[in-house]
Amino acid sequence: MGNVIVAQSGGPTVAINASLAGVIEGTIGSNYDKIYGSINGILGIRDDNIIDLSSIVASDPHFLKRLKTTPAMYLGSCRFKLPAIDSGDPIYNTLFEQFNKYQIEAFFYIGGNDSMDTVDKLSAYAAQIGSDIRFVGVPKTVDNDLCVTDHTPGFGSAAKYIATSTMEVIFDAQIYDNPSVTIIEVMGRDAGWLTAATSLAKTECCDGPDLIYLPEVAFDKEKFIQDVKSILGEKTNVVVAVSEGIRDAQGEYISASTGTLDNFGHAQLSGAGKTLEYLVKDKLGVKVRSIEVNVLQRAAAHMSSLTDINESEAIGKKAVDIAEEGVTGAMVTMERISNAPYEIKFDYAKIHDIANEAKEVPQDWINPEHNGVTKDMLMYLRPLVIGLPDVEYRDGLPVFVTR
Amino acid sequence: MGNVIVAQSGGPTVAINASLAGVIEGTIGSNYDKIYGSINGILGIRDDNIIDLSSIVASDPHFLKRLKTTPAMYLGSCRFKLPAIDSGDPIYNTLFEQFNKYQIEAFFYIGGNDSMDTVDKLSAYAAQIGSDIRFVGVPKTVDNDLCVTDHTPGFGSAAKYIATSTMEVIFDAQIYDNPSVTIIEVMGRDAGWLTAATSLAKTECCDGPDLIYLPEVAFDKEKFIQDVKSILGEKTNVVVAVSEGIRDAQGEYISASTGTLDNFGHAQLSGAGKTLEYLVKDKLGVKVRSIEVNVLQRAAAHMSSLTDINESEAIGKKAVDIAEEGVTGAMVTMERISNAPYEIKFDYAKIHDIANEAKEVPQDWINPEHNGVTKDMLMYLRPLVIGLPDVEYRDGLPVFVTR
């Protein structure tokens, strides 16, 4: 048989390189010959910026193990959406000429929604021109908002980092005997999964956040102040977790908009947490601070979930398996067979059924007061954060791999 | 012999409970009988809010091990400065009556400058009234700005978390092939030690931050923009580390109102990082973001330094030793005997020689361009971040102890 090529795209997570390791390992155990890597997503194929991963693996015995726990993207990323396949754009011709040049029989794209759209279009184009190159998507997103799959690679690690950091912030918040409010702002513009993960901080040694607000329900400022006031009547130090994407009943973000748009036309949010900090200060006059968990929630490889890293690797291997079986235009998925003991079945689904639909937190996993999550949410989250991968350290700092 | 009492004060670190564990362990191996804990610093003694630590240790075999890696303060904190000993304030009488009631022979105060001031005053008052109770200070501060001691407990762990997070942010920043600037803002209003710790992120797999600005030298906005521009000529993704406390030649903080109002009409105040983000956007028009490492740098027990935790524990034990030897009005210190192999000698110094002086980064550990640190700084920092303590996990989350 011929060769395969793999690329990564979209925003980083700490598990996307574990999926790359999985694709490489899957290829090594397959009938495919070489595995190539395309630099900066699909653009590396277009621009002939391609590296030979097989020879890197052969020359560095530590490579795959270190790659598994390296954050972000070894191959680099891109934000590039393919034009419609009937657009007449020459890029399709360029890409398939490149596939022929490198004798590619399967292309694996590790990424989010945009990458799945690329896989969908390339497989449709292949069908149109009679090419039998396989196109398989390997999902990743810290946001956990992809449909069909039980959860997404990258989410469990972000959830573990967020839950652990929330617990540590709660310990930090408890030291003084004076009333205080601490607001933790978590990523998630439309889906509240990451913010919900703060609920995991409730353990035998920690109360967890006292209030949790997700973007799936309209945020009511008056009710929020009443909620905080009520908890302040019971305990000294109140900790609140909010999603960056909370909106009021009119759909307006609870944040000071800077009025500027980012490179993709999204409105720049300047902090739901900061906004609520000012609100609490104004209305309750109590000591208050806000903490933005920030980019570390998707980058903190040192606090990733072993379950997530192992699943991300397995999903990469599965992608190679199904390509060998002849599947194309599909994304690898996870189905939860049982929760205790936790068991996952790896499967796949046609990408056409997945793209452009976001999976929100179900309303019945949010408490009736709209300021917390239910036991169902906790049961869903718990297995995803178990274990710490064996990150290698040298001189006290992690050892990662770079190109 | 009689009993001892211990308290914690000031801002939290992840190592201050290791020192508490050390004081407890030191007492167990000493001629002292019981060890009491005062809740919320010295206020617990005044208000008779005192717990029996000996019985907690006796009843929970996991207590000391878990305490060693629990962040913040098990006994709670306070911000309370004793009045002058000749003020006639009745608090001194109250405190010494309490010491008598609990048959206290030694008081250990784990904390920063204010706590050392308390130890100084109590020992002076004891001398005045002819009491032979021993008062010993156990230092802690993430800022590393105490004199006499080579470094302070708590600093190594914060340095390790900051260096690791910086490395992870750098990986996150490198994925796109488009120019970008990432600004990391680190704690340290007057001393640049924590910001300097970002330099540890330079390893075989990581460039480290390209530019580092400390508060010990005046910050020049024009030169900063020239520095960034120059690096952008060499590489695509530039990462800058700045101390929250950077000031211009006139001593004014480099942080300002952004000119935007939040939903409640407040001007949004921003830190040094945010201010430089706007400056870079304005002057260079390049993609830029800023990241505030925030409270997690002093709370992230999951990424603490084993060296720091062990030293913090040892320094607690040393405090009990010197109290037994009759020392009072002193703070335990560390002297670096050698750097390779790293060797520390625990000693003590009269608090009167230490208080109210801050240890800044030496000018000759800052590079001549004022945008980085020298090899001497790296050699000083490296041994302090070695090792990870054995944090216990249950269901994927750390197991800490609370009262």
Side-chain angles (χ1 to χ4, degrees):
Chain A
M1 285 173 88
N3 306 316
V4 305
I5 191 163
V6 57
Q8 298 172 311
S9 171
T13 81
V14 301
I16 192 166
N17 282 329
S19 288
L20 175 60
V23 170
I24 296 171
E25 288 158 347
T27 306
I28 292 170
S30 76
N31 291 318
Y32 294 118
D33 190 9
K34 269 190 173 180
I35 176 163
Y36 291 104
S38 168
I39 303 304
N40 292 122
I42 193 84
L43 299 180
I45 299 174
R46 184 192 69 182
D47 304 338
D48 205 29
N49 195 0
I50 287 168
I51 61 173
D52 180 350
L53 289 167
S54 300
S55 68
I56 292 171
V57 171
S59 65
D60 180 357
H62 304 292
F63 178 74
L64 282 173
K65 185 181 177 297
R66 288 175 184 163
L67 180 64
K68 263 184 74 172
T69 55
T70 292
M73 275 114 139
Y74 177 78
L75 295 171
S77 182
C78 70
R79 296 270 188 203
F80 179 80
K81 208 162 169 150
L82 277 177
I85 59 169
D86 55 5
S87 62
D89 195 295
I91 189 168
Y92 286 98
N93 197 37
T94 306
L95 294 174
F96 278 78
E97 275 179 4
Q98 285 287 87
F99 291 141
N100 285 338
K101 175 177 159 195
Y102 287 93
Q103 296 174 278
I104 298 303
E105 303 208 342
F107 169 70
F108 304 102
Y109 213 7
I110 314 172
N113 261 323
D114 285 353
S115 316
M116 296 310 127
D117 179 73
T118 298
V119 172
D120 194 31
K121 283 174 176 155
L122 288 174
S123 63
Y125 188 84
Q128 201 172 285
I129 65 170
S131 159
D132 59 4
I133 300 175
R134 308 300 167 195
F135 296 90
V136 177
V138 181
K140 68 86 214 163
T141 163
V142 289
D143 289 323
N144 198 38
D145 60 351
L146 284 182
C147 293
V148 185
T149 188
D150 175 78
H151 57 281
T152 53
F155 170 66
S157 292
K160 186 185 184 92
Y161 176 81
I162 289 165
T164 305
S165 298
T166 297
M167 187 189 267
E168 291 167 341
V169 165
I170 291 170
F171 270 74
D172 190 276
Q174 283 171 342
I175 63 163
Y176 293 115
D177 203 17
N178 313 104
S180 75
V181 176
T182 301
I183 297 161
I184 303 173
E185 183 191 311
V186 183
M187 279 184 177
R189 210 172 276 256
D190 298 306
W193 298 104
L194 288 175
T195 307
T198 60
S199 66
L200 290 168
K202 184 173 166 59
T203 68
E204 276 176 49
C205 69
C206 183
D207 285 351
D210 303 293
L211 298 163
I212 300 174
Y213 298 96
L214 309 185
E216 280 83 358
V217 289
F219 186 85
D220 180 335
K221 286 178 192 171
E222 300 296 318
K223 190 179 162 297
F224 163 72
I225 288 295
Q226 283 311 311
D227 286 351
V228 173
K229 210 170 162 179
S230 156
I231 308 270
L232 273 173
E234 295 161 21
K235 62 189 292 192
T236 312
N237 308 110
V238 176
V239 175
V240 180
V242 291
S243 162
E244 63 173 342
I246 49 168
R247 270 158 285 189
D248 65 19
Q250 283 72 48
E252 295 288 319
Y253 283 111
I254 306 296
S255 56
S257 165
T258 59
T260 48
L261 302 180
D262 69 16
N263 291 346
F264 306 96
H266 301 113
Q268 293 265 47
L269 299 184
S270 86
K274 205 37 127 186
T275 307
L276 296 186
E277 178 187 327
Y278 286 117
L279 185 65
V280 168
K281 198 177 278 171
D282 253 18
K283 302 285 181 184
L284 300 176
V286 72
K287 190 183 154 197
V288 55
R289 61 178 175 173
S290 65
I291 293 165
E292 194 187 338
V293 184
N294 221 314
V295 74
L296 288 168
Q297 63 202 290
R298 71 179 192 206
H302 72 269
M303 195 19 82
S304 52
S305 153
L306 180 62
T307 303
D308 181 33
I309 296 296
N310 285 343
E311 286 177 353
S312 300
E313 182 184 23
I315 220 169
K317 285 184 188 163
K318 177 76 178 177
V320 181
D321 289 349
I322 65 171
E324 274 202 294
E325 290 164 15
V327 174
T328 189
M331 181 187 92
V332 190
T333 60
M334 289 187 272
E335 187 189 339
R336 194 178 303 214
I337 302 298
S338 83
N339 210 46
Y342 174 67
E343 196 190 339
I344 284 293
K345 186 186 156 203
F346 296 96
D347 207 339
Y348 62 90
K350 280 282 166 195
I351 279 179
H352 225 71
D353 308 337
I354 298 168
N356 307 320
E357 260 204 78
K359 184 178 70 177
E360 295 187 343
V361 170
Q363 291 289 325
D364 58 355
W365 286 12
I366 301 169
N367 70 3
E369 299 79 22
H370 289 178
N371 58 20
V373 299
T374 67
K375 275 191 181 162
D376 284 338
M377 173 62 93
L378 278 166
M379 280 177 59
Y380 169 82
L381 291 171
R382 277 209 185 103
L384 310 184
V385 301
I386 303 297
L388 266 175
D390 181 22
V391 175
E392 191 180 334
Y393 287 86
R394 190 183 299 153
D395 296 333
L397 274 290
V399 178
F400 299 141
V401 288
T402 42
R403 295 199 308 274
Chain B
M1 285 175 86
N3 306 315
V4 305
I5 191 161
V6 58
Q8 298 172 309
S9 171
T13 81
V14 300
I16 191 166
N17 282 328
S19 288
L20 175 60
V23 171
I24 297 171
E25 288 158 346
T27 306
I28 291 171
S30 76
N31 291 317
Y32 294 119
D33 189 12
K34 270 189 173 177
I35 176 163
Y36 291 104
S38 169
I39 304 304
N40 291 122
I42 193 85
L43 300 180
I45 299 173
R46 183 192 70 183
D47 304 338
D48 205 30
N49 194 0
I50 287 168
I51 61 173
D52 179 350
L53 289 167
S54 300
S55 67
I56 292 170
V57 171
S59 66
D60 180 357
H62 305 291
F63 178 75
L64 282 174
K65 184 181 177 298
R66 288 176 183 161
L67 180 63
K68 261 183 76 171
T69 55
T70 292
M73 275 113 138
Y74 176 78
L75 295 171
S77 183
C78 70
R79 296 268 187 207
F80 179 80
K81 203 159 173 155
L82 277 176
I85 59 168
D86 55 5
S87 62
D89 195 296
I91 190 168
Y92 286 97
N93 197 37
T94 306
L95 294 174
F96 278 78
E97 275 179 4
Q98 285 287 87
F99 290 142
N100 284 337
K101 177 177 156 193
Y102 287 93
Q103 296 174 278
I104 299 303
E105 302 206 346
F107 169 69
F108 304 102
Y109 213 6
I110 314 172
N113 261 324
D114 285 353
S115 316
M116 296 310 128
D117 179 73
T118 297
V119 171
D120 194 31
K121 284 174 175 156
L122 288 173
S123 62
Y125 188 85
Q128 200 172 287
I129 64 169
S131 161
D132 60 2
I133 301 174
R134 309 298 168 198
F135 296 91
V136 177
V138 181
K140 68 87 212 160
T141 164
V142 290
D143 289 322
N144 198 39
D145 58 351
L146 284 183
C147 293
V148 185
T149 188
D150 175 78
H151 57 281
T152 54
F155 171 66
S157 292
K160 186 184 182 92
Y161 175 82
I162 288 165
T164 305
S165 298
T166 297
M167 187 189 269
E168 291 167 343
V169 165
I170 291 170
F171 271 74
D172 190 276
Q174 283 170 341
I175 63 165
Y176 294 115
D177 204 17
N178 314 103
S180 75
V181 176
T182 301
I183 297 160
I184 303 174
E185 183 191 311
V186 182
M187 280 183 178
R189 204 158 271 270
D190 297 307
W193 297 104
L194 288 175
T195 306
T198 60
S199 66
L200 290 167
K202 183 172 168 59
T203 69
E204 275 177 50
C205 68
C206 183
D207 285 349
D210 302 294
L211 297 163
I212 301 175
Y213 299 97
L214 308 185
E216 279 83 358
V217 288
F219 186 85
D220 180 336
K221 286 182 188 172
E222 299 298 318
K223 187 178 165 298
F224 164 72
I225 288 296
Q226 283 313 311
D227 286 351
V228 173
K229 211 171 163 179
S230 155
I231 308 270
L232 273 172
E234 295 161 23
K235 60 190 290 190
T236 312
N237 308 110
V238 177
V239 176
V240 181
V242 291
S243 162
E244 62 173 342
I246 49 168
R247 271 158 286 188
D248 64 19
Q250 284 71 48
E252 294 288 320
Y253 283 111
I254 305 296
S255 53
S257 158
T258 62
T260 43
L261 301 180
D262 66 17
N263 290 348
F264 309 97
H266 296 103
Q268 293 265 48
L269 291 174
S270 53
K274 207 35 132 188
T275 305
L276 296 186
E277 178 187 327
Y278 285 113
L279 186 65
V280 168
K281 196 176 278 171
D282 255 17
K283 302 283 180 188
L284 299 176
V286 71
K287 189 182 156 198
V288 55
R289 61 179 175 170
S290 65
I291 293 164
E292 193 188 338
V293 184
N294 223 313
V295 73
L296 288 168
Q297 62 200 290
R298 70 178 192 206
H302 72 270
M303 194 20 79
S304 51
S305 152
L306 180 61
T307 303
D308 181 33
I309 296 295
N310 286 345
E311 287 178 351
S312 301
E313 184 185 20
I315 220 169
K317 284 183 188 163
K318 177 75 179 179
V320 181
D321 288 349
I322 65 171
E324 274 201 294
E325 289 164 15
V327 173
T328 189
M331 183 187 91
V332 191
T333 60
M334 288 187 272
E335 187 190 340
R336 195 178 301 213
I337 301 298
S338 83
N339 210 46
Y342 174 67
E343 196 190 338
I344 284 292
K345 184 186 158 205
F346 296 96
D347 207 337
Y348 63 88
K350 279 284 166 192
I351 279 179
H352 224 72
D353 308 336
I354 299 169
N356 306 320
E357 261 204 78
K359 184 179 69 179
E360 295 187 344
V361 171
Q363 291 289 326
D364 58 355
W365 287 11
I366 301 169
N367 69 4
E369 299 79 24
H370 290 178
N371 59 19
V373 299
T374 66
K375 275 191 180 161
D376 284 337
M377 172 63 93
L378 279 166
M379 280 177 58
Y380 169 82
L381 291 170
R382 277 209 185 104
L384 309 184
V385 300
I386 302 298
L388 265 174
D390 180 23
V391 175
E392 192 181 332
Y393 286 86
R394 191 183 298 153
D395 296 333
L397 274 290
V399 178
F400 298 141
V401 287
T402 43
R403 295 199 308 274

